[in-house]
Amino acid sequence: MTQKILVVDDKQIMRDSVAATLQRAGYAVVTANDGQAAITQVGKHRPSAVITDLKMPEMDGLALLGELRRVEPGLPVVLMTAYGTVSDAVAAMHEGAFDFIQKPFEGDQLVMVMRRAVQHRQLASENEALRSMSDTRADFAPSLVGKSTEMRRLAQQIHQVANSSGTVLISGESGTGKEVVARTIHAHSPRRDRVMLCVNCAALSSSLLESELFGHERGAFTGAEQLRKGRFELADGGTLLLDEISEISPTLQAKLLRVLQEGQFERVGSSTSLHVDVRVLATTNRDLRHSVASGQFRQDLYYRLNVLPIEIPPMRHRLEDVPLLAEHFLAQVALREGREPKRLDPAAMSVLRDYPWPGNVRELQNICERASVLTRGGVVKADLIQPWLSTPGPAAPRIVPPHTPADPREAPPFSMPPSSMPTPGASAVRCLEEVEREQIVHALQYFGGNRQKTARALGIGVRTLGLKLKKWKEQQLIAQSA
């Protein structure tokens, strides 16, 4: 992507000369004849660096520097100075100017100074974007596993849309791998060398999500102690994934529509419009057409998002991919733990292949990780994994009782096979608790006491694990004191 430089000078001959030199060096150039016009150009064109004359009427270079530091912190500003104003330029560097260049100057000297300024800006932007991604998995490698007709069709769709710059709406049930598809699209797009950021729209309140997307000015609201750039600003030139787009409020829907239509927005608490070049990918596990019909989602926004639609098939429609996916997940766990991968015996593979997978790929991944941890030998047996599946046997729709967690990762991971269940009563409860305790203790020992890894492998929350351990410890203390 061609880097853009803003040239500010009240004398047209100087503006044209500097612009021509920088254009010959391969830069895109925009110009402004005074400070106020320069601020407008910064909001409109988002340059990588600014070079401005120090002496100008109304707003001089120093005043412009102060304004730019307020509206665009981190933007490198180079000052052009005459012989008698070098001391002023040195003082300006203490105020945050990147560098100064003394008139008259050679073209090579100008290009060298501006190249350093642009490189400084690029490095700072990349570092900031990487910091904003600290909550994502650093070892992620986009991959699609499967040879079914549905997966071949999906791979072809991804290949077709990846080279486009159009907005993509990825729909599918929870756990089907919508984020994997989004990252695969980015990894094969012309923006692959630029940053990709992700925002979970369902995880934040409307006000927090607005700040997360568009950023805010210092003092915009209580607690806004410093300026913060939003994800749209940080993803400029790259890709932004809006996960669970159906959950955003009507007010934010209107603001998002404007970004998609015009490529511009304002930070919270600011009236200055910022222009960005961001490719948007959105995911949803709902049918947005129904949301539009019920008035919960804007129709115009739906059409803006649904330029390139991709629908991911659920696992029950591609059960032939289960063996490949299971081996893939077992290999992932083995690689992470630094050991040989566990193998599924034929009976265990048959159980997995005949299960309807209401939790889709995510549920299969959870089962494989749990089996990899809790299998004592090198082969995973059917009798180990069958109790973890809510509907063993032939594929059929799964009915979740009202009291059962809908998310398979939160479902109780341990139960006794029906053939070995004791008769109902207190003894049965004690028996089940003993089995559960044995499995948890084994997993804790395997992970060296790490509760987070243990809870993830067992498919329960860390808090749930902690409460169980606390309960058993209290029971032990009571027994010892009796």
Side-chain angles (χ1 to χ4, degrees):
M1 183 175 295
T2 303
Q3 299 300 318
K4 193 175 296 181
I5 296 175
L6 171 62
V7 177
V8 188
D9 199 299
D10 59 316
K11 299 179 179 62
Q12 183 173 350
I13 189 171
M14 193 64 187
R15 289 198 308 272
D16 293 345
S17 175
V18 172
T21 301
L22 294 174
Q23 285 171 339
R24 284 194 298 269
Y27 294 105
V29 177
V30 291
T31 62
N33 60 0
D34 59 38
Q36 195 58 52
I39 294 172
T40 301
Q41 293 286 56
V42 166
K44 184 176 181 180
H45 293 286
R46 309 300 305 282
S48 298
V50 175
I51 179 166
T52 178
D53 193 21
L54 182 60
K55 296 296 183 181
M56 294 186 297
E58 297 183 10
M59 182 186 294
D60 63 12
L62 288 177
L64 175 59
L65 172 64
E67 282 297 301
L68 291 179
R69 289 193 66 194
R70 183 182 67 81
V71 301
E72 189 66 24
L75 178 63
V77 178
V78 176
L79 296 172
M80 295 183 287
T81 69
Y83 176 76
T85 57
V86 171
S87 59
D88 292 335
V90 173
M93 292 188 67
H94 290 289
E95 297 299 320
F98 178 79
D99 204 346
F100 70 92
I101 183 169
Q102 185 176 339
K103 301 176 183 177
F105 45 77
E106 298 292 333
D108 291 345
Q109 183 184 5
L110 170 66
V111 171
M112 181 181 67
V113 171
M114 298 312 297
R115 181 176 291 123
R116 286 196 298 107
V118 169
Q119 289 174 345
H120 174 82
R121 175 65 165 177
Q122 284 181 297
L123 184 61
S125 297
E126 289 169 4
N127 287 341
E128 190 169 3
L130 287 172
R131 284 195 298 271
S132 73
M133 295 173 68
S134 59
D135 58 339
T136 64
R137 291 171 53 187
D139 60 346
F140 182 86
S143 60
L144 295 173
V145 179
K147 294 183 179 179
S148 63
T149 302
E150 289 79 4
M151 285 304 293
R152 289 198 299 269
R153 185 182 300 116
L154 178 61
Q156 183 179 6
Q157 284 184 295
I158 291 172
H159 177 73
Q160 289 175 320
V161 306
N163 289 323
S164 167
S165 59
T167 305
V168 182
L169 180 62
I170 306 167
S171 58
E173 297 178 5
S174 294
T176 50
K178 295 184 291 293
E179 184 174 342
V180 173
V181 169
R183 293 187 180 276
T184 304
I185 291 172
H186 173 74
H188 291 83
S189 75
R191 299 171 185 250
R192 66 178 68 89
D193 295 328
R194 306 293 291 181
V195 69
M196 177 179 179
L197 300 181
C198 177
V199 178
N200 187 337
C201 300
L204 300 172
S205 66
S206 180
S207 58
L208 288 177
L209 181 57
E210 182 178 9
S211 176
E212 188 71 18
L213 291 175
F214 307 120
H216 61 252
E217 297 286 339
R218 180 179 179 182
F221 49 83
T222 303
E225 298 179 354
Q226 59 185 9
L227 180 148
R228 185 188 180 195
K229 295 183 180 181
R231 295 299 177 100
F232 269 103
E233 199 168 348
L234 291 172
D236 191 20
T239 303
L240 180 61
L241 171 60
L242 301 178
D243 197 18
E244 301 303 344
I245 190 70
S246 60
E247 305 306 311
I248 65 174
S249 68
T251 301
L252 277 183
Q253 289 178 31
K255 294 186 176 183
L256 179 59
L257 177 64
R258 183 184 174 215
V259 178
L260 294 177
Q261 287 178 330
E262 304 172 14
Q264 66 179 23
F265 64 93
E266 291 86 34
R267 298 189 192 116
V268 177
S270 173
S271 59
T272 302
S273 292
L274 302 177
H275 290 249
V276 290
D277 172 25
V278 175
R279 185 184 193 184
V280 172
L281 310 179
T283 71
T284 178
N285 60 8
R286 297 186 184 184
D287 189 335
L288 287 185
R289 292 170 298 184
H290 294 165
S291 299
V292 169
S294 64
Q296 297 176 326
F297 202 84
R298 292 178 63 116
Q299 185 179 52
D300 47 5
L301 177 57
Y302 169 70
Y303 288 131
R304 279 286 175 180
L305 291 169
N306 199 41
V307 177
L308 298 170
I310 289 182
E311 185 168 356
I312 306 177
M315 279 292 294
R316 62 182 175 274
H317 291 168
R318 57 183 190 102
L319 293 175
E320 62 192 281
D321 290 332
V322 168
L324 287 174
L325 282 164
E327 292 174 0
H328 172 73
F329 292 137
L330 291 172
Q332 276 190 332
V333 176
L335 181 63
R336 188 181 67 215
E337 303 296 337
R339 54 176 171 75
E340 288 296 316
K342 301 295 176 69
R343 294 181 295 104
L344 291 158
D345 73 1
M349 187 67 79
S350 178
V351 167
L352 297 182
R353 197 165 42 234
D354 291 339
Y355 182 61
W357 298 108
N360 292 297
V361 179
R362 185 186 295 133
E363 185 181 9
L364 175 59
Q365 183 177 16
N366 183 285
I367 293 293
C368 290
E369 183 161 352
R370 192 184 310 168
S372 184
V373 171
L374 300 180
T375 298
R376 297 184 183 274
V379 179
V380 180
K381 302 288 187 180
D383 57 0
L384 175 70
I385 62 177
Q386 193 159 28
W388 303 337
L389 307 178
S390 59
T391 314
R398 174 183 173 189
I399 300 175
V400 182
H403 63 277
T404 302
D407 188 338
R409 294 173 297 172
E410 296 298 324
F414 301 107
S415 61
M416 297 290 286
S419 60
S420 58
M421 286 289 287
T423 55
S427 61
V429 174
R430 284 197 300 271
C431 223
L432 283 171
E433 188 171 12
E434 288 171 6
V435 173
E436 181 183 49
R437 182 172 180 174
E438 179 185 347
Q439 297 279 31
I440 288 178
V441 169
H442 172 64
L444 274 171
Q445 291 173 343
Y446 182 89
F447 287 111
N450 188 306
R451 293 192 180 188
Q452 287 187 333
K453 290 185 178 181
T454 300
R456 184 176 61 187
L458 297 174
I460 60 177
V462 177
R463 184 173 180 272
T464 301
L465 175 62
L467 290 173
K468 289 182 181 293
L469 295 175
K470 181 180 177 182
K471 173 186 174 183
W472 293 332
K473 183 176 181 181
E474 289 173 351
Q475 289 175 344
Q476 185 178 12
L477 291 174
I478 292 173
Q480 290 175 347
S481 61

